[in-house]
């Protein structure tokens, strides 16, 4: 990059390290996390807890965010669960406009569902969709029908198991609303008063306890905390909160890896360190430990100068790959890439542990390489965009070569990185950005970091520079298109902002590059 280009780039924005420090300060002021409102969760709170403060505002918000075609939520099959939730919720409201909006949503579903070949790989979608269809069948409206090939018997099995006296697995407490009438007395809120880090699960728990005759003082803390969540968003609620460990781990990892000069608050690092127990770390209170949060927290601590041995990750090892949590139905490229990040960071600090962790790292690298599509990208179950999965995959692969830890896969690794970068170059949009459905600042940041993850050629450097104005124009934004997977799509704005800052900094640093 020439001096003229650097001057022009700097003129587009502000001091990126200062923006990063501001972001870290915001995370400390709002430890529950920054994430977008959720149509699915808001609909459940409207239906389950109409007595909760902000009910009218939640209804108004659902009406305001309905799409022209009658649906809610993301494109393709990502709109099914949000539309079911919003439509069912609005049918419980005695209001003509709400009823009309619900009917439009049901009409969209009736037209869309017969042609749907698959449901997206969203957490608990095989539970939330039949649960919502059951609820809709109690209303005097035509209930949409899910194609037989997409129907899952899992909800029925779980309900039968609970009736037989079996406990609900911890990972399903996040979706407690689907079975709340059976389990309300078996689960208590976490220390922050929220059940399963989910407003919907919390509202379902409160509703069931109220119906069971619980005294007001027994519910006061949970009621107060759920009210605080709704108040923060002006009525609507997010899909997951708190996300303290998840958010802090990702933000620190992006910023430090991008070479942004930051001074993490000691309390933040101490909190991350304390969150990692023998079973790993959870994204926030009320959620079970998972490999993804554990690996990113470990990696963030290591690159911030506080190494913690990654031995707790072993409980997620299936022998072939690492599961997000024990017993996971499916597998994730980004989870395995983040686990590999953590092992490689530890081996860089403690090379004497190569015999212990080196074979696991080699196995993970081979598994990730095998998951790459022929044309270059990777896809993942925790994010709608292939740019997220592709960046997650190539970062540890690039580190394998950089630290001579490729365990005999050097040529395959280099070829995989090159294919990913060529695919990224080929998919840049006319406005200089990247995106699955349209250019977004988040996906553009990931694409830039893909191009700069290895020493960039002239084409990659030019493509990244073309994207810089888009990144800098969005560096302050807190409203980004939802692309992350939970019960519906959501947007963790703090994490996205960190990725944008890291990408912009990587373009403007000398020499340009990521890490």
């Amino acid at each position: 990059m020439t001096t003229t280009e650097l001057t022009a780039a700097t003129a587009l924005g502000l001091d990126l390290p200062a923006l990063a420090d501001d972001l870290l300060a915001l995370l400390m002021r709002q430890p529950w996390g920054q994430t977008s409102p959720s149509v699915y969760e808001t609909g459940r709170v409207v239906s389950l807890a109409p007595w909760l403060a902000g009910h009218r505002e939640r209804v108004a918000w659902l009406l305001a965010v309905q799409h022209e075609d009658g649906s809610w939520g993301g494109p393709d099959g990502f709109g099914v669960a949000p539309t079911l939730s919003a439509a069912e919720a609005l049918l419980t409201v005695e209001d003509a406009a709400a009823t009309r909006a619900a009917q439009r949503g049901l009409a969209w579903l009736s037209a869309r569902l017969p042609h749907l070949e698959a449901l997206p790989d969203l957490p608990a979608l095989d539970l939330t969709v039949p649960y919502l269809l059951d609820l809709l069948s109690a209303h005097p409206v035509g209930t949409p029908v899910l194609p037989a090939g997409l129907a899952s018997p899992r909800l029925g099995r779980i309900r039968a198991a609970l009736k037989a006296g079996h406990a609900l697995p911890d990972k399903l407490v996040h979706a407690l609303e689907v079975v709340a009438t059976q389990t309300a007395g078996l689960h208590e809120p976490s220390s922050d008063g929220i059940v399963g880090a989910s407003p919907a699960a919390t509202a379902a728990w409160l509703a069931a306890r109220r119906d069971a005759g619980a005294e007001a003082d027994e519910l006061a803390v949970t009621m107060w905390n759920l009210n605080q969540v709704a108040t923060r968003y002006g009525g609507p609620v997010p899909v997951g909160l708190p996300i303290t460990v998840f958010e802090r781990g990702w933000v620190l990892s992006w910023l430090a890896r991008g070479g942004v000069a930051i001074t993490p608050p000691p309390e933040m690092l101490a909190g991350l360190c304390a969150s990692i127990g023998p079973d790993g770390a959870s994204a926030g209170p009320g959620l079970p430990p998972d490999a993804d949060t554990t690996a990113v927290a470990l990696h963030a601590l290591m690159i911030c100068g506080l190494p913690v041995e990654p031995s707790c990750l072993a409980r997620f090892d299936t022998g072939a790959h690492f599961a997000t949590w024990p017993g996971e139905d499916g597998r994730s490229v980004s989870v395995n890439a983040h686990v590999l990040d953590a092992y490689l960071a530890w081996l860089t600090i403690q090379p004497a542990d190569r015999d212990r962790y080196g074979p696991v790292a080699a196995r993970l690298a081979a598994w990730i390489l095998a998951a790459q599509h022929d044309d270059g990208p990777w896809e993942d179950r925790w994010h709608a965009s292939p740019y997220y999965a592709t960046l997650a995959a190539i970062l540890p692969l690039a580190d394998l070569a950089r630290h001579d830890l490729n365990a005999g896969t050097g040529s395959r690794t280099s070829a995989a990185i090159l294919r990913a970068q060529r695919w990224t170059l080929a998919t840049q949009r006319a406005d200089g950005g990247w995106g699955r459905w349209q250019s977004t600042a988040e996906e553009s940041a990931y694409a830039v970091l893909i191009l700069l993850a290895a020493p960039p050629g002239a084409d990659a450097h030019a493509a990244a520079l073309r994207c810089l104005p888009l990144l800098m124009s969005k560096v302050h934004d807190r409203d980004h298109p939802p692309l992350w997977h939970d019960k519906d799509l959501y947007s963790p704005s703090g994490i996205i902002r960190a990725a944008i800052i890291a990408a912009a900094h990587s373009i403007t640093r000398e020499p340009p590059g990521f890490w």
Side-chain angles (χ1 to χ4, degrees), residues 256 264 269 298-308 349:
L269 295 179
L298 287 166
H299 183 258
L301 288 168
M302 283 187 243
I303 62 179
C304 288
L306 188 59
V308 177
I349 297 166

Side-chain angles (χ1 to χ4, degrees), residues 73-89:
D76 303 331
F78 291 104
V80 172
T83 303
L84 284 169
S85 182
E88 194 281 330

Side-chain angles (χ1 to χ4, degrees), residues 206-214:
L206 281 168
R209 293 298 294 269
R210 281 165 57 100
D211 290 346

Side-chain angles (χ1 to χ4, degrees), residues 159-170:
R159 287 174 170 169
L162 291 172
K163 188 175 182 180
H166 297 285
L168 186 71
D170 287 343

Side-chain angles (χ1 to χ4, degrees), residues 30-38 41 173-174 189-203 222 224-233 236-247 283-287 486-487 490-493:
Q30 297 183 358
W32 280 11
Q34 292 81 51
T35 185
S36 58
S38 161
E41 296 276 324
V173 178
H174 185 57
S190 57
S191 58
D192 54 35
I194 304 299
V195 177
S198 163
T202 305
T222 298
W224 186 88
N225 279 284
L226 187 57
N227 271 320
Q228 298 313 301
V229 174
T231 300
R232 173 185 290 188
Y233 292 85
V237 295
V239 74
L241 207 76
I243 56 167
T244 311
V245 180
F246 165 61
E247 180 181 66
L287 294 172
D486 205 310
K487 286 181 277 184
Y490 74 103
S491 170
S493 60

Side-chain angles (χ1 to χ4, degrees), residues 244-255:
T244 311
V245 180
F246 165 61
E247 180 181 66
R248 291 178 178 184
W250 260 257
V251 166
L252 287 173
S253 184
W254 284 133
L255 295 177

